[in-house]
Amino acid sequence: AGKHQSSRGAVDCAPCTVGHVCPVGSARPTPCLAGTWSGNTSNANQADCIDCPRGHFCPEGASNPTPCPIGTIGQNPRLGGLTACTPCSHPATSPAGSHACTICDSGFYLKPPAASNDVNASLPIDCQPCLPGSRCPHNINITTVVLETNHWRLGPNSEDVRSCIESSGWSPCFG
């Protein structure tokens, strides 16, 4: 088990290839099923293949899980192909290999969720359009919003961005 013999009359068996299984008496390797993978060369049956983790997909015969691309998620384990990765709803997005849309696209910032006593609450993320007088690169939250020159706000959680007052080319603002 875990080996195959593809040449008739050969004495020695070859190790099974990664992403495959070789039951006793195999003439050739059989691919791990879609949604599973294996990096081993000694798999005897499908039970030796590993379930593909969330955030990834594993086509038939996979030797490694493949991350779902940026902007898509793999919410469940055992995804068998790229088409099983679900797109995030704009303006929410995700890094590659994610199982949840957790960041915001450029032009939006992540607003923190309202306080909740339910530690198991799973609320959708709240991506808000960038504040006037600021810039929002990819993956920004309210505390990391970038203020444009000559703009200020009272604190890192303030959504109220103000213009600096200039007089004769001088402004008390550092922004």
Side-chain angles (χ1 to χ4, degrees):
K3 295 184 177 196
H4 69 97
Q5 188 180 69
S6 55
S7 301
R8 185 167 257 185
V11 177
D12 293 327
C13 293
C16 201
T17 53
V18 294
H20 292 74
V21 299
C22 296
V24 173
S26 294
R28 64 185 159 279
T30 302
C32 286
L33 299 174
T36 65
W37 69 281
S38 177
N40 295 328
T41 58
S42 60
N43 294 331
N45 56 53
Q46 291 293 338
D48 293 331
C49 297
I50 302 165
D51 286 351
C52 201
R54 292 190 328 163
H56 296 74
F57 65 93
C58 298
E60 181 179 78
S63 59
N64 281 304
T66 302
C68 288
I70 293 170
T72 67
I73 56 173
Q75 294 174 298
N76 300 307
R78 295 187 57 103
L79 299 182
L82 174 61
T83 57
C85 297
T86 307
C88 294
S89 297
H90 181 74
T93 189
S94 66
S98 296
H99 59 84
C101 302
T102 58
I103 60 178
C104 298
D105 247 338
S106 298
F108 296 85
Y109 71 92
L110 178 63
K111 187 172 184 173
S116 171
N117 292 333
D118 183 1
V119 293
N120 297 318
S122 179
L123 301 173
I125 67 168
D126 186 5
C127 294
Q128 295 292 314
C130 203
L131 304 169
S134 67
R135 290 181 287 112
C136 296
H138 181 80
N139 193 17
I140 287 289
N141 62 45
I142 186 65
T143 63
T144 56
V145 165
V146 180
L147 296 181
E148 292 177 354
T149 303
N150 291 324
H151 286 81
W152 64 278
R153 61 184 178 161
L154 288 176
N157 292 313
S158 174
E159 294 177 336
D160 185 17
V161 176
R162 302 285 177 117
S163 295
C164 296
I165 298 171
E166 263 188 64
S167 175
S168 303
W170 180 87
S171 171
C173 295
F174 289 112

